[in-house]
Amino acid sequence: MPNAPIPFLDLKAQQRRIATDLRRRLDTVLEHCQFILGPEVRELEAELARFCGATYCVGVSSGTDALQIAMMAEDIGPGDAVFLPAFTYTATAEVPLLLGATPVFVDVDPRTFQIDPAHLVQRIEAVRAAGRLKPRAIIGVDLFGQPADWPALLDIARRNDLFLLDDLAQSFGGSLHGKMLGSQADATATSFFPSKPLGAYGDGGALFTESEERAELYRSLRTHGEGKTRYEVLRTGMNGRLDSIQAAVLLAKLAVFPEELSARERIARIYDQRLGNAVTTPKRVPDSTSAWAIYAILLSDEAARDRVQAALKADGVPTAIYYPRPLHRQPAYSAQHDGSGLPVSEDLAGRILALPIHPDLTDEDVGRICDAVLAAVS
Ligand SMILES: *Cc1c(COP(=O)(O)O)cnc(C)c1O
């Protein structure tokens, strides 16, 4: 069966690898029945903080809720401008809007797809000059597994007195300049959606920060703004808690996560080597490692992309398009945009194509995917 479809993501194969530890941890939760913020959540928070070198970790209900809690803690709302890349998942822009703030879209680097610091500076200056909104925050996104340029973003944030939030939803496990991602910004939000590099069996997320004050606020906000006791309400919060079953799953997966990161890296290198002369393969951010949530190639134009995608599908090779539309072109957000061009984001959306990259791909699978891509573009 040479054309049996290859899975884009294989959570069943992963489950077989961790089955014993996973069952044991789930059984423990079923025994103690502390289903929300139980002991597994505290254990996970400590393990995650250790893993990424952050001081505080607060487990929350999703990556989107992590972003929202971080923005709520800074009192970001109506009249505030929040700068973020146009080429990212919708949640990054949705959160400022939910809080009444205005997302200001920034273009990305054409080689690494990460937010472009030079364009960010231009956008901040333009907002100041227009005088309608108050620049308040930057959300830097670590796109596809690779890091954004955190030293540059931090410098821009400090010079402009802006809160800097790292949307690490796709890149937990990546590193920059020898340091794991998780403590590069004022706060970091990540996601454990099942398809992320470290994924739960439902929704989940986490916040990281070096500030004790922020960590305390995050704990309060995730539980309805509670104070010292559950029945003291200090502020308007939300139901943003992580549940113990998800934490148990994540603890079992964290044990094998370093091996999985190595496996993803190995596959990325094979793709680079075999496909690099035929298509545009992703350029590495200098002095970094990637969590390889997504391995995206660029084709010459949209027609070529559609043709290659169809040919791969016929060969049993699934692909995905992240993202077919930059956020400033989305019906829900276009009214928020000032109309300026974001040429790189617009160009990428028409030509990008993600290949399968997960730790349970066999060498044979990877070889088949490469053969199929080379055949499709020739
Ligand atoms: C997945 C993702 C989110 C949202 O995470 P959820 O856990 O699905 O809420 C936010 N930002 C980016 C960049 C993402 O990829």
Side-chain angles (χ1 to χ4, degrees):
M1 268 213 323
N3 280 349
I6 291 170
F8 194 74
L9 179 66
D10 196 345
L11 295 177
K12 281 187 186 162
Q14 184 195 46
Q15 193 177 116
R16 285 192 291 273
R17 281 191 282 113
I18 60 171
T20 310
D21 190 29
L22 179 68
R23 295 284 158 144
R24 183 182 60 80
R25 289 180 187 274
L26 290 176
D27 282 345
T28 305
V29 177
L30 296 180
E31 267 158 44
H32 66 56
C33 289
Q34 294 176 56
F35 290 116
I36 302 283
L37 295 182
E40 288 75 15
V41 174
R42 287 188 292 280
E43 185 183 346
L44 178 72
E45 288 173 339
E47 290 291 324
L48 291 173
R50 192 178 11 249
F51 185 88
C52 73
T55 305
Y56 300 100
C57 173
V58 179
V60 297
S61 41
S62 72
T64 307
D65 290 342
L67 293 169
Q68 182 169 336
I69 289 169
M71 298 258 109
M72 285 168 80
E74 308 300 317
D75 254 327
I76 285 164
D80 292 340
V82 178
F83 300 87
L84 55 100
F87 198 64
T88 177
Y89 183 59
T90 178
T92 319
E94 169 188 42
V95 167
L97 277 167
L98 268 174
L99 297 176
T102 303
V104 178
F105 297 107
V106 179
D107 215 351
V108 296
D109 183 285
R111 294 163 52 88
T112 64
F113 316 146
Q114 307 299 320
I115 186 168
D116 176 354
H119 192 240
L120 171 62
V121 171
Q122 284 177 30
R123 297 296 269 160
I124 295 169
E125 281 166 5
V127 167
R128 281 205 204 290
R132 199 174 57 81
L133 298 169
K134 183 177 188 314
R136 281 294 309 281
I138 301 165
I139 309 180
V141 176
D142 301 297
L143 200 74
F144 295 172
Q146 295 213 85
D149 185 349
W150 290 106
L153 297 181
L154 194 60
D155 182 56
I156 295 165
R158 291 295 172 264
R159 278 193 282 115
N160 290 279
D161 194 23
L162 303 176
F163 170 64
L164 183 61
L165 178 59
D166 179 354
D167 181 345
L168 181 61
Q170 297 181 4
S171 306
F172 185 78
S175 73
L176 181 65
H177 304 317
K179 221 172 117 187
M180 296 300 286
L181 296 176
S183 57
Q184 275 70 9
D186 295 314
T188 299
T190 200
S191 164
F192 304 121
F193 186 78
S195 64
K196 307 287 180 178
L198 180 64
Y201 286 169
D203 280 307
L207 279 155
F208 300 96
T209 180
E210 301 309 291
S211 154
E212 184 177 0
E213 199 183 326
R214 283 201 171 99
E216 217 165 276
L217 263 173
Y218 298 163
R219 290 209 164 85
S220 168
L221 286 166
R222 80 173 164 186
T223 311
H224 305 290
E226 75 176 9
K228 288 265 179 293
T229 70
R230 184 171 300 176
Y231 299 104
E232 180 185 32
V233 185
L234 295 179
R235 52 187 66 84
T236 304
M238 58 193 280
N239 177 356
R241 297 168 301 215
L242 183 63
D243 71 76
S244 311
I245 288 189
Q246 300 313 326
V249 170
L250 289 164
L251 283 164
K253 290 209 193 181
L254 193 58
V256 298
F257 190 48
E259 295 156 31
E260 295 191 342
L261 288 171
S262 305
R264 286 175 188 264
E265 174 63 29
R266 202 175 60 81
I267 296 163
R269 281 177 200 229
I270 298 173
Y271 283 156
D272 290 344
Q273 279 160 11
R274 289 212 49 209
L275 305 179
N277 291 329
V279 298
T280 305
T281 50
K283 298 297 171 290
R284 302 295 198 276
V285 170
D287 196 22
S288 76
T289 62
S290 176
W292 292 116
I294 289 164
Y295 186 99
I297 58 172
L298 291 176
L299 285 311
S300 51
D301 56 34
E302 192 158 351
R305 193 256 309 270
D306 294 348
R307 208 169 50 239
V308 169
Q309 186 172 39
L312 290 176
K313 188 174 178 200
D315 267 350
V317 176
T319 56
I321 299 175
Y322 307 109
Y323 295 93
R325 251 194 231 209
L327 294 183
H328 66 292
R329 292 270 177 89
Q330 287 288 0
Y333 305 141
S334 56
Q336 303 289 325
H337 183 58
D338 63 7
S340 60
L342 300 170
V344 180
S345 301
E346 288 155 21
D347 175 52
L348 294 178
R351 304 198 283 131
I352 203 155
L353 188 66
L355 303 179
I357 186 160
H358 64 77
D360 294 287
L361 284 175
T362 64
D363 285 349
E364 192 192 329
D365 293 334
V366 177
R368 238 184 81 193
I369 294 164
C370 292
D371 292 343
V373 172
L374 293 173
V377 297
S378 66

